Amino acid sequence: MKGIEPKKTFLALPLEKQKRIIETAASEFAERGFKGASLNSIVEKVGIAKGSLYQYFHDKQHLFLYVFDYGIRLAKGALKEIESKEISIFEQIRYSIFAGFRFVKKHPLIYQIYLKILFEDKVPFRKKLIGTLRFYSHKYLLPLLKRAKERGEIRPDVDLEMAAFMLDAMMEKMLQAYTLSYIDSIGLYKADDKTINRLVDAWIDILKKGLANGGID
Amino acid sequence: MKGIEPKKTFLALPLEKQKRIIETAASEFAERGFKGASLNSIVEKVGIAKGSLYQYFHDKQHLFLYVFDYGIRLAKGALKEIESKEISIFEQIRYSIFAGFRFVKKHPLIYQIYLKILFEDKVPFRKKLIGTLRFYSHKYLLPLLKRAKERGEIRPDVDLEMAAFMLDAMMEKMLQAYTLSYIDSIGLYKADDKTINRLVDAWIDILKKGLANGGID
Amino acid sequence: MKGIEPKKTFLALPLEKQKRIIETAASEFAERGFKGASLNSIVEKVGIAKGSLYQYFHDKQHLFLYVFDYGIRLAKGALKEIESKEISIFEQIRYSIFAGFRFVKKHPLIYQIYLKILFEDKVPFRKKLIGTLRFYSHKYLLPLLKRAKERGEIRPDVDLEMAAFMLDAMMEKMLQAYTLSYIDSIGLYKADDKTINRLVDAWIDILKKGLANGGID
Amino acid sequence: MKGIEPKKTFLALPLEKQKRIIETAASEFAERGFKGASLNSIVEKVGIAKGSLYQYFHDKQHLFLYVFDYGIRLAKGALKEIESKEISIFEQIRYSIFAGFRFVKKHPLIYQIYLKILFEDKVPFRKKLIGTLRFYSHKYLLPLLKRAKERGEIRPDVDLEMAAFMLDAMMEKMLQAYTLSYIDSIGLYKADDKTINRLVDAWIDILKKGLANGGID
DNA sequence: TATGAATGAGAATTCATTCAT
DNA sequence: TATGAATGAATTCTCATTCAT
């Protein structure tokens, strides 16, 4: 992605300070969205002067993009490993979901920012951002499913694109439920770890029945 | 729900004027989100004085909540009819989805507000909103599924809460795909009417295989 | 000139208050130029809230243009009467100069603003402004000279455009000298009223010798 | 002039570097005026650190004054040669004008700064600048005219101070017309080279008639 | 009850100046 | 001597909210 470089002043900062700034900013964006976030509030929390932030980032948008990009890099790493595992498609899906869970547990703000931006109109670069980060997207799921079909794990008459859409929907929803419950304990679905496990198992079960060759594998 | 009552002055207004105010506000909130929406802009479009708005609603948040509540009431109405239809659970689901489509087509702003607000702002505010919407999967879908199980349309070992969650996720994602493509042609999945139809068909098909008694049809 | 209307809120103000605002703004623009003028400073001097100024004028530029236009209207009036007087061209010139003097004495800030703007690049509308207000410009002087030539007051071989340019230069310089000395008593040319009178007389004298038919009238 | 000395560190710099700094600063001041000029922008263009500029000059104002003074010295040099020429006063004037033209063509920024500053900012600042420039009409023109009168080239009854003022005004206006048309084609008087030549000729002609001994040539 | 002018806190951003290295 | 990061006051402008009429 272009135009997300911070000024070199920022990169010259002690890593500890860089991190403090990014995480404070992430927390502000996560809580208030792009428009709502206040640079005033960020500098105050970090404990630097207003002008300093502008030594580090060209403007609010650049700061946001950098924080977001930082999140993207973290997220991409989290899913990489699974693709190559020699396990059935259903196991891959299960792993992916739990990789997602681990990710939002470790970096809750990043996913929150993603959720915030998803439907905020006036983030000028919204389309680009959404395209960049769909946690379990076509790009990730469809190849997985195709290979599974070739291996005979999925019935030949299954509409793979449909299946990818369905998986995406489910996985993202689960992530949302997990995140929300994790972050502010709204507990929409009483989504504690135990319940989540049960949901995932039940879902994989239905999936198998719906997609797998020969039904109950 | 508490705190969403407008002042009495608003309810004393001619219905036509009430409607004009709500719909203008809805359009502003849909376009700019809660924080971004400008009361200035609303009163200007409606053609009333700024002070008047404060005669009708205590503050911006109250106005927003009332508009949102208004949307909820519309949505509930749209689903009422289906519950009573004497058709299989899978047909009910199909009907529900298309009812949703018709709804967002008829009241695009309402759904947009919902999307905007889904992850916006401070927790207590959001909690109230989302809590309201759980009605869909728990109060609407779960009873539907329970009755279907009783009628033997669904395998006895299916985890109904899980299934409700799954249906909810799918329907919401479809609505999102439909709405987004409808509203600003982001078209994450190129979800034109034809594609949507195909998705729904394929999905109902998988659902049947996953949930229905008799397994692989 | 377009786009110089203040908001109606401003026009609804008591005339006394309108005047106080315009004159305070004029004084600020005169002292600091367009870029340098501070709205903060203006509202503080006037004793109104920062937001109020924005109820009156769309932005800094609109405020400036209004103040400037207000000056233009004053200036145009000051020169109108002379054109029609039944006196020799040299008397008309003398009258014009003193009309200018009276004007800058009465409205010193207006002329100062004009001088400020003359060479300030970043006033976006600079070209238009300069075109609008050249105190003794071609548009004003050339017709005067043409009629004088027709009446035989000026030698037929005089290049009128050149003469207009020359008159313009002289008159404007005199105005500047007068203004500067009047405003901050720099006294570039010890340009007190007496000296100014002597300068004007001597100059008209040279002019007659240079331009008039038959030399010494 | 007091207060325009740079710090010793600046004078210790290689001449080439001094020049680069002054000319870059001149270009910035010319383009944006005193208030508008950004030290950030200057140091960036020159390629030195911001702190360094403060090693060389006490502050922004000192830098500006030094740049301006540098221009004055250049201008004085340009006029030196003419004074000693053994030609009639009218020829000297003609030469002076064209010397001025050549100067603004060679150092357009210097003259622009002069124009910018002419009426800018607080009085004491300006007083210093304009005082400096009076040298032209009083220290340069007046002696020229006195000698011409002694040589009998000018009528004995001519008010020389007045004449100096007049010449000054004309020459400045011509320079302005020339510069403005040269710099940004505002072309108040469409003052292209040809027109300028015609203006100068016509003007010298009128001057002769107005000032010269023997009157109507 | 309706109005809309007034308010002032708060937004993002700029920039001359300082100072530790 | 040279550096450039840090500062914070100042800039223009927005907007929810109040309140006198």
Side-chain angles (χ1 to χ4, degrees):
Chain A
M1 217 194 288
K2 274 171 229 152
I4 57 169
E5 272 76 43
K7 297 192 181 172
K8 37 188 181 139
T9 327
F10 179 73
L11 298 174
L13 249 34
L15 285 179
E16 189 273 325
K17 194 173 183 182
Q18 285 187 36
K19 207 179 165 199
R20 220 170 69 240
I21 292 171
I22 292 183
E23 288 180 354
T24 307
S27 134
E28 178 77 8
F29 283 125
E31 201 171 321
R32 307 221 200 290
F34 177 73
K35 176 91 190 277
S38 156
L39 299 189
N40 271 7
S41 162
I42 291 173
V43 296
E44 196 177 322
K45 276 180 206 153
V46 178
I48 56 174
K50 216 181 295 196
S52 296
L53 201 56
Y54 282 86
Q55 301 267 30
Y56 304 150
F57 298 93
H58 191 260
D59 57 15
K60 193 185 188 182
Q61 179 165 321
H62 277 76
L63 170 59
F64 175 80
L65 284 175
Y66 186 72
V67 169
F68 195 75
D69 184 62
Y70 170 85
I72 300 278
R73 289 197 307 268
L74 291 177
K76 279 187 177 159
L79 292 176
K80 264 284 162 53
E81 46 188 293
I82 299 173
E83 263 172 290
S84 49
K85 281 218 161 76
E86 283 293 329
I87 46 182
S88 85
I89 180 72
F90 301 105
E91 285 308 297
Q92 280 177 326
I93 288 166
R94 176 193 297 273
Y95 271 111
S96 299
I97 290 176
F98 284 102
F101 289 168
R102 280 195 307 277
F103 179 79
V104 300
K105 204 165 200 164
K106 198 169 170 195
H107 310 285
L109 299 176
I110 300 300
Y111 189 64
Q112 266 185 292
I113 293 179
Y114 164 68
L115 293 179
K116 277 269 161 48
I117 254 43
L118 203 51
F119 303 110
E120 202 173 325
D121 253 6
K122 293 296 142 113
V123 190
F125 29 82
R126 183 177 147 246
K127 288 187 192 181
K128 202 190 291 179
L129 292 182
I130 295 181
T132 306
L133 177 63
R134 304 221 21 115
F135 267 77
Y136 314 104
S137 67
H138 259 50
K139 254 206 324 245
Y140 171 71
L141 288 171
L142 205 48
L144 241 56
L145 290 170
K146 272 184 183 153
R147 252 173 290 142
K149 204 179 196 176
E150 284 161 14
R151 290 201 302 268
E153 292 173 22
I154 291 181
R155 279 184 293 117
D157 64 311
V158 168
D159 181 329
L160 287 190
E161 226 178 297
M162 171 58 223
F165 180 86
M166 183 182 171
L167 285 176
D168 186 22
M170 277 300 296
M171 295 167 89
E172 189 146 335
K173 256 300 146 96
M174 281 188 168
L175 215 48
Q176 285 177 19
Y178 185 76
T179 307
L180 290 177
S181 75
Y182 178 69
I183 288 169
D184 53 38
S185 34
I186 289 187
L188 297 178
Y189 300 99
K190 299 181 187 43
D192 54 90
D193 278 18
K194 219 175 106 190
T195 309
I196 287 283
N197 273 319
R198 210 194 79 222
L199 281 177
V200 175
D201 285 344
W203 180 58
I204 297 283
D205 194 53
I206 295 177
L207 259 192
K208 279 186 192 165
K209 293 206 172 60
L211 297 177
N213 232 343
I216 307 108
D217 71 329
Chain B
M1 212 191 289
K2 271 172 235 155
I4 59 168
E5 270 76 41
K7 295 190 181 173
K8 287 176 296 182
T9 29
F10 179 71
L11 298 174
L13 248 35
L15 285 179
E16 190 273 327
K17 194 172 183 182
Q18 287 186 33
K19 205 180 167 197
R20 222 170 67 241
I21 292 172
I22 292 181
E23 289 182 353
T24 307
S27 133
E28 178 76 9
F29 284 124
E31 205 171 315
R32 305 221 199 289
F34 177 73
K35 176 83 193 268
S38 153
L39 297 189
N40 268 14
S41 167
I42 292 173
V43 296
E44 196 177 324
K45 277 179 206 152
V46 179
I48 57 172
K50 196 153 5 156
S52 299
L53 204 57
Y54 280 84
Q55 306 271 19
Y56 305 150
F57 297 93
H58 188 259
D59 58 15
K60 195 185 189 183
Q61 180 163 321
H62 278 75
L63 170 60
F64 174 80
L65 286 174
Y66 186 73
V67 168
F68 192 74
D69 186 59
Y70 170 85
I72 299 287
R73 288 199 307 270
L74 286 180
K76 281 184 180 167
L79 292 174
K80 270 280 161 55
E81 45 185 297
I82 298 171
E83 258 173 296
S84 50
K85 282 219 161 76
E86 285 294 328
I87 47 182
S88 87
I89 180 71
F90 301 105
E91 284 309 297
Q92 280 177 325
I93 288 167
R94 177 193 297 271
Y95 270 111
S96 299
I97 291 175
F98 284 104
F101 289 169
R102 278 196 306 278
F103 180 79
V104 300
K105 209 164 200 166
K106 194 170 173 196
H107 309 285
L109 301 176
I110 300 299
Y111 190 63
Q112 274 185 78
I113 293 179
Y114 164 67
L115 292 181
K116 282 265 162 49
I117 232 53
L118 200 50
F119 305 106
E120 194 178 323
D121 281 295
K122 298 306 212 40
V123 173
F125 191 26
R126 190 172 80 231
K127 203 185 253 178
K128 203 181 287 182
L129 296 179
I130 297 190
T132 306
L133 288 155
R134 283 313 109 206
F135 122 94
Y136 178 64
S137 64
H138 271 70
K139 293 239 166 65
Y140 173 72
L141 282 177
L142 206 49
L144 235 56
L145 290 169
K146 272 182 184 152
R147 253 173 289 143
K149 205 178 195 177
E150 286 160 12
R151 288 200 304 268
E153 291 172 24
I154 291 181
R155 279 184 294 117
D157 64 312
V158 167
D159 180 330
L160 287 191
E161 218 174 309
M162 170 59 222
F165 180 86
M166 184 180 173
L167 285 177
D168 188 23
M170 277 302 293
M171 293 171 88
E172 180 143 345
K173 264 289 141 92
M174 280 188 168
L175 268 188
Q176 282 179 21
Y178 185 75
T179 307
L180 290 177
S181 75
Y182 178 67
I183 288 168
D184 58 25
S185 43
I186 287 191
L188 296 177
Y189 297 101
K190 297 183 187 47
D192 55 88
D193 278 18
K194 219 174 108 189
T195 309
I196 287 283
N197 274 318
R198 211 193 81 221
L199 281 176
V200 176
D201 285 343
W203 180 57
I204 297 284
D205 195 52
I206 294 178
L207 257 192
K208 278 187 192 165
K209 293 204 172 61
L211 297 178
N213 236 339
I216 308 112
D217 72 330
Chain C
M1 216 192 289
K2 274 172 230 155
I4 57 168
E5 271 76 43
K7 297 191 181 173
K8 36 188 182 141
T9 327
F10 179 73
L11 298 174
L13 248 35
L15 285 179
E16 189 273 325
K17 194 173 184 182
Q18 285 186 36
K19 208 180 163 197
R20 220 170 68 241
I21 292 172
I22 292 182
E23 288 179 356
T24 307
S27 136
E28 178 76 9
F29 284 124
E31 201 170 322
R32 306 221 200 289
F34 177 73
K35 175 90 191 277
S38 156
L39 299 188
N40 271 7
S41 163
I42 291 173
V43 296
E44 198 178 321
K45 277 180 207 154
V46 178
I48 56 174
K50 215 181 296 196
S52 296
L53 201 57
Y54 283 86
Q55 301 267 32
Y56 305 149
F57 297 93
H58 190 260
D59 57 16
K60 194 186 187 181
Q61 178 166 322
H62 278 76
L63 170 59
F64 175 79
L65 284 174
Y66 186 73
V67 170
F68 195 75
D69 184 61
Y70 170 84
I72 300 279
R73 289 198 306 268
L74 291 178
K76 278 187 178 159
L79 292 175
K80 265 283 163 54
E81 45 186 295
I82 298 172
E83 263 171 288
S84 50
K85 281 218 161 76
E86 284 294 328
I87 46 183
S88 85
I89 180 72
F90 301 104
E91 285 309 295
Q92 279 176 327
I93 287 167
R94 176 194 297 273
Y95 272 110
S96 299
I97 291 176
F98 284 103
F101 289 169
R102 279 195 306 275
F103 179 80
V104 300
K105 204 164 199 165
K106 197 168 169 195
H107 310 286
L109 300 175
I110 299 301
Y111 188 64
Q112 266 184 293
I113 293 179
Y114 164 69
L115 293 179
K116 277 270 162 47
I117 254 44
L118 202 51
F119 304 109
E120 201 172 326
D121 255 5
K122 293 295 140 114
V123 190
F125 28 79
R126 182 177 148 247
K127 290 187 192 182
K128 202 190 291 181
L129 292 183
I130 296 181
T132 306
L133 177 64
R134 304 222 21 115
F135 268 76
Y136 314 105
S137 68
H138 258 51
K139 256 208 319 247
Y140 171 72
L141 288 171
L142 205 48
L144 242 54
L145 291 170
K146 272 183 184 153
R147 252 174 290 143
K149 203 178 197 176
E150 286 160 12
R151 290 200 301 267
E153 291 173 23
I154 291 180
R155 278 184 294 117
D157 63 309
V158 168
D159 181 330
L160 287 190
E161 225 177 298
M162 172 57 222
F165 180 88
M166 183 180 171
L167 285 176
D168 184 22
M170 277 300 297
M171 294 167 89
E172 188 147 337
K173 257 295 146 100
M174 281 187 169
L175 215 48
Q176 286 177 18
Y178 184 76
T179 307
L180 291 176
S181 74
Y182 178 69
I183 288 168
D184 53 37
S185 34
I186 290 187
L188 296 179
Y189 299 100
K190 299 179 187 46
D192 53 89
D193 279 18
K194 218 174 107 190
T195 310
I196 286 283
N197 273 318
R198 211 195 78 223
L199 280 177
V200 175
D201 285 344
W203 180 59
I204 296 282
D205 194 54
I206 293 177
L207 259 192
K208 280 186 190 166
K209 296 205 172 58
L211 297 177
N213 230 344
I216 307 107
D217 70 328
Chain D
M1 211 192 293
K2 272 171 234 154
I4 59 169
E5 270 76 42
K7 294 190 180 174
K8 286 177 296 183
T9 29
F10 179 72
L11 297 174
L13 249 33
L15 285 179
E16 190 274 327
K17 195 173 183 183
Q18 287 185 34
K19 206 181 166 195
R20 223 171 64 242
I21 292 172
I22 292 180
E23 288 182 352
T24 307
S27 135
E28 177 77 9
F29 284 123
E31 205 170 315
R32 306 220 198 290
F34 177 73
K35 176 84 193 270
S38 153
L39 298 189
N40 268 15
S41 166
I42 291 173
V43 296
E44 196 178 323
K45 277 180 207 153
V46 179
I48 58 172
K50 197 153 6 158
S52 299
L53 205 57
Y54 280 84
Q55 305 271 19
Y56 305 150
F57 298 93
H58 188 260
D59 58 15
K60 194 185 189 183
Q61 179 164 323
H62 278 75
L63 170 59
F64 174 79
L65 286 174
Y66 186 73
V67 169
F68 192 75
D69 186 59
Y70 170 85
I72 299 287
R73 288 199 306 272
L74 287 180
K76 282 184 180 168
L79 292 174
K80 269 282 160 54
E81 44 184 297
I82 298 171
E83 257 174 296
S84 50
K85 283 220 161 76
E86 284 296 326
I87 46 181
S88 87
I89 180 71
F90 301 105
E91 284 309 296
Q92 280 177 325
I93 288 167
R94 177 192 298 272
Y95 271 111
S96 299
I97 291 176
F98 284 103
F101 289 168
R102 278 196 306 276
F103 180 79
V104 299
K105 208 163 200 165
K106 195 170 171 194
H107 308 286
L109 301 176
I110 300 299
Y111 190 65
Q112 274 185 78
I113 293 178
Y114 164 68
L115 292 181
K116 282 265 162 47
I117 232 54
L118 200 50
F119 304 106
E120 194 180 323
D121 281 296
K122 298 306 211 44
V123 174
F125 191 27
R126 191 172 80 228
K127 205 185 250 178
K128 203 182 285 180
L129 297 179
I130 297 191
T132 306
L133 288 156
R134 284 312 110 207
F135 122 95
Y136 179 64
S137 63
H138 272 70
K139 294 237 166 66
Y140 173 73
L141 282 177
L142 205 49
L144 236 55
L145 290 169
K146 272 182 183 153
R147 253 173 289 142
K149 204 179 196 177
E150 285 160 12
R151 288 201 303 269
E153 291 172 24
I154 291 180
R155 280 183 294 117
D157 63 313
V158 168
D159 181 329
L160 287 190
E161 220 175 308
M162 170 59 223
F165 179 86
M166 183 179 172
L167 285 176
D168 187 24
M170 278 300 294
M171 293 171 88
E172 180 143 345
K173 265 288 143 92
M174 280 188 168
L175 270 187
Q176 283 180 20
Y178 185 75
T179 307
L180 291 177
S181 75
Y182 178 67
I183 290 168
D184 58 24
S185 43
I186 287 190
L188 296 178
Y189 298 100
K190 297 181 185 49
D192 54 89
D193 278 17
K194 219 175 108 189
T195 309
I196 287 283
N197 274 318
R198 211 194 80 221
L199 282 176
V200 176
D201 285 344
W203 180 58
I204 298 283
D205 195 53
I206 294 178
L207 259 192
K208 278 186 191 164
K209 294 205 173 61
L211 298 177
N213 236 341
I216 308 111
D217 71 331

